[in-house]
């Protein structure tokens, strides 16, 4: 698995390096040169969300007890610790790799397969990393903003992680029928969508622009490990007067 991922990562880095170096002025002067196409994809995604995904997420939240939702969230978070371990290592963050390995071992055993986040309870904080963050730390420009079908906000640099990072999940290498894989993926997606129900009610204005600003701001925050002197999205207070009830750190912790 490690060899396959290393080869994949090398190819991705080479391809992205070539692409990003070929459009440095465009990427720096305009975050969203494909806005026309992006808005069409965003509208399709939004229509699908409003008519199907969001209603399903509301039903899911209604029928799922809080402890069950927490368990689902914890299991998927625990599976992501292998990805965190690899990318912390690739970024030279040995402390982060150690924490990710420790969290996975503790939560997979004492936490009963990740159902319980015992590691957080004893003070081992998650160090979440992914391919886009690794490439950013390596110095690759984010490139143009993209809206991916079904998946939503991304960038040229971040989008290959959609294909590469799942290779680091144990679920990818477990022999399962396609129906089981679809069911597991749907469960994870519903949990993520349900977690965003409360946050979206605080946004006002052009949703496309707000999601773009939020995503780009969050990615910059993630790559800098929170060490930002100024954040244009947070400092512009785009979510209105209710922002005081939802701290910057909490907003940036949401998945967009």
């Amino acid at each position: 698995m490690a060899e396959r991922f290393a080869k994949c990562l090398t190819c991705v880095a080479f391809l992205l390096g070539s692409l990003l170096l070929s459009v440095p002025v465009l990427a720096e002067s305009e975050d969203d040169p494909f806005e026309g196409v992006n808005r069409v994809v965003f509208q399709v995604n939004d229509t699908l969300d409003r008519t199907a995904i969001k209603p399903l997420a509301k039903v899911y939240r209604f029928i799922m007890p809080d402890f069950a939702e927490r368990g689902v969230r914890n299991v998927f978070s625990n599976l992501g610790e292998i990805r965190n371990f690899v990318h912390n290592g690739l970024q030279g963050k040995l402390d982060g790799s150690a924490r990710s390995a420790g969290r996975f071992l503790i939560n997979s055993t004492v936490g009963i397969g990740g159902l319980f986040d015992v590691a957080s309870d004893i003070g081992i904080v998650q160090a979440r990393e992914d391919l886009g963050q690794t490439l950013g730390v390596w110095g690759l420009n984010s490139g143009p903003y993209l809206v991916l079908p079904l998946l939503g906000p991304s960038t040229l640099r971040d989008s290959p992680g959609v294909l590469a990072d799942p290779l680091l999940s144990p679920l990818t290498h477990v022999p399962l029928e396609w129906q089981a894989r679809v069911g597991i993926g749907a469960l994870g997606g519903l949990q993520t969508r349900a977690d965003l129900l409360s946050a979206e009610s605080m946004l006002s204005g052009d949703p496309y622009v707000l999601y773009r600003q939020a995503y780009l701001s969050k990615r910059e925050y993630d790559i800098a490990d929170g060490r930002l002197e100024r954040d244009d999205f947070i400092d512009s207070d785009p979510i209105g007067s209710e922002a005081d009830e939802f701290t910057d750190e909490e907003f940036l912790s949401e998945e967009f």
Side-chain angles (χ1 to χ4, degrees):
M1 181 178 74
E3 184 179 352
R4 288 173 57 193
F5 180 75
K7 290 180 179 179
C8 179
L9 186 61
T10 300
C11 293
V12 168
F14 178 78
L15 177 61
L16 282 177
S18 301
L19 289 172
L20 294 176
L21 287 175
S22 68
V23 291
V25 175
L26 179 62
E28 292 175 3
S29 62
E30 178 57 68
D31 288 329
D32 193 4
F34 307 127
E35 182 173 350
V37 175
N38 283 337
R39 280 189 177 272
V40 172
V41 178
F42 177 85
Q43 188 60 49
V44 172
N45 287 349
D46 184 61
T47 300
L48 180 61
D49 179 69
R50 285 186 289 103
T51 58
I53 301 176
K54 184 176 179 178
L56 285 174
K58 288 183 175 181
V59 172
Y60 172 85
R61 169 147 289 182
F62 178 77
I63 65 177
M64 286 284 280
D66 289 344
F67 75 87
E69 278 198 68
R70 188 161 50 250
V72 171
R73 190 182 303 116
N74 288 342
V75 167
F76 281 99
S77 177
N78 188 53
L79 292 173
E81 293 296 353
I82 296 178
R83 178 203 64 224
N84 298 338
F85 170 79
V86 171
H87 287 297
N88 272 295
L90 291 173
Q91 295 174 35
K93 300 174 182 177
L94 301 184
D95 175 68
S97 285
R99 279 190 283 145
S100 298
R103 285 179 57 85
F104 183 75
L105 291 174
I106 293 170
N107 288 341
S108 296
T109 53
V110 183
I112 314 177
L115 280 173
F116 302 98
D117 189 0
V118 180
S120 291
D121 292 339
I122 62 176
I124 304 178
V125 182
Q126 187 178 52
R128 191 183 188 286
E129 302 290 344
D130 56 39
L131 178 58
Q133 289 170 252
T134 295
L135 295 175
V137 170
W138 287 357
L140 287 179
N141 192 289
S142 67
Y145 175 73
L146 302 174
V147 180
L148 304 179
L150 296 179
L151 301 175
S154 186
T155 61
L156 181 61
R157 179 192 62 209
D158 294 346
S159 55
V162 173
L163 299 176
D165 282 338
L167 294 175
L168 296 173
S169 171
L171 290 176
T172 302
H173 307 281
V174 173
L176 295 172
E177 296 292 333
W178 70 267
Q179 297 93 332
R181 292 191 183 279
V182 170
I184 292 172
L187 179 62
L190 278 176
Q191 183 59 60
T192 299
R193 186 63 185 88
D195 288 338
L196 291 171
L197 288 173
S198 58
E200 67 176 8
S201 64
M202 306 183 70
L203 298 175
S204 61
D206 184 345
Y208 174 84
V209 173
L210 290 172
Y211 273 92
R212 181 182 64 197
Q213 290 177 331
Y215 180 82
L216 295 176
S217 176
K218 181 180 184 299
R219 296 305 285 172
E220 184 179 357
Y221 179 94
D222 289 341
I223 292 168
D225 290 332
R227 296 187 295 272
L228 295 177
E229 294 182 3
R230 172 181 169 78
D231 187 289
D232 293 335
F233 177 67
I234 296 298
D235 293 341
S236 67
D237 190 22
I239 56 178
S241 60
E242 296 183 55
D244 292 339
E245 300 176 11
F246 199 55
T247 67
D248 296 352
E249 183 177 353
E250 289 170 331
F251 188 82
L252 289 167
S253 70
E254 295 290 345
E255 292 290 343
F256 282 89

